Amino acid sequence: MKTNEPKVVPFITFCGQAKEAVEFYTQQFQNSQIISIAYFEKGDRGVEGDVLTAVFEINGLQFMAMDMEKEYCPQTSWATSFYYDCDSENEFDKLLEVLAKDGTVLMGPEPVETSSSMIKKCAWITDRFNVTWQLIYQ
């Protein structure tokens, strides 16, 4: 990383689905792009052709991803999730639909009221890549 880049970057490990996941996320979220993808080559520790590193952005936040060999691939948990504050109800509904397809809706969509805020819609979804998202529309 260069000195002007963020020091903390979310890093997601996939089991052979990194390219598909990165392409999916950058198509679904606003203002998103793939910055770079490097692949394992013959002789590398990893599956030839799988993603060694992918750098992408979702709405200005940089992420990294890679593929891990299936026998070493970590278990995922909804204890770690990505919180996404939607700009509109339409954006919330669209993201809920596409992230939930072949995934699991853990909660919502539902309103959440606390003493300090009112969230119109909130949902927790583990998508088909086993990545958990918290979608919020305020």
Side-chain angles (χ1 to χ4, degrees):
M1 284 183 157
K2 298 175 185 143
T3 56
N4 62 342
E5 292 181 358
K7 292 186 181 239
V8 177
V9 175
F11 194 102
I12 310 170
T13 303
F14 294 94
C15 301
Q17 303 167 300
K19 183 176 184 207
E20 181 184 357
V22 167
E23 289 174 345
F24 175 76
Y25 297 141
T26 56
Q27 290 169 3
Q28 304 308 321
F29 287 91
Q30 298 179 35
N31 306 314
S32 300
Q33 66 176 330
I34 297 172
I35 297 169
S36 65
I37 300 180
Y39 300 94
F40 287 104
E41 297 177 0
K42 187 174 182 174
D44 290 340
R45 181 173 179 233
V47 177
E48 185 178 354
D50 275 0
V51 173
L52 172 62
T53 57
V55 179
F56 64 106
E57 285 183 1
I58 295 178
N59 224 354
L61 177 64
Q62 192 174 94
F63 288 76
M64 293 184 74
M66 75 173 297
D67 282 318
M68 183 70 64
E69 298 111 312
K70 293 205 186 306
E71 63 267 24
Y72 302 114
C73 207
Q75 294 291 318
T76 59
S77 163
W78 61 270
T80 301
S81 61
F82 297 109
Y83 177 100
Y84 188 82
D85 195 354
C86 298
D87 290 332
S88 68
E89 188 169 11
N90 185 49
E91 180 185 22
F92 178 96
D93 293 342
K94 175 189 166 259
L95 286 172
L96 175 62
E97 181 181 343
V98 298
L99 293 173
K101 186 174 190 231
D102 299 324
T104 304
V105 176
L106 304 170
M107 183 196 97
E110 60 191 63
V112 176
E113 186 173 353
T114 68
S115 59
S116 60
S117 69
M118 175 58 187
I119 297 171
K120 293 177 186 170
K121 286 186 176 181
C122 176
W124 284 41
I125 306 106
T126 299
D127 67 25
R128 68 182 185 205
F129 303 106
N130 290 316
V131 174
T132 301
W133 300 89
Q134 294 180 55
L135 299 180
I136 303 296
Y137 172 59
Q138 298 187 50

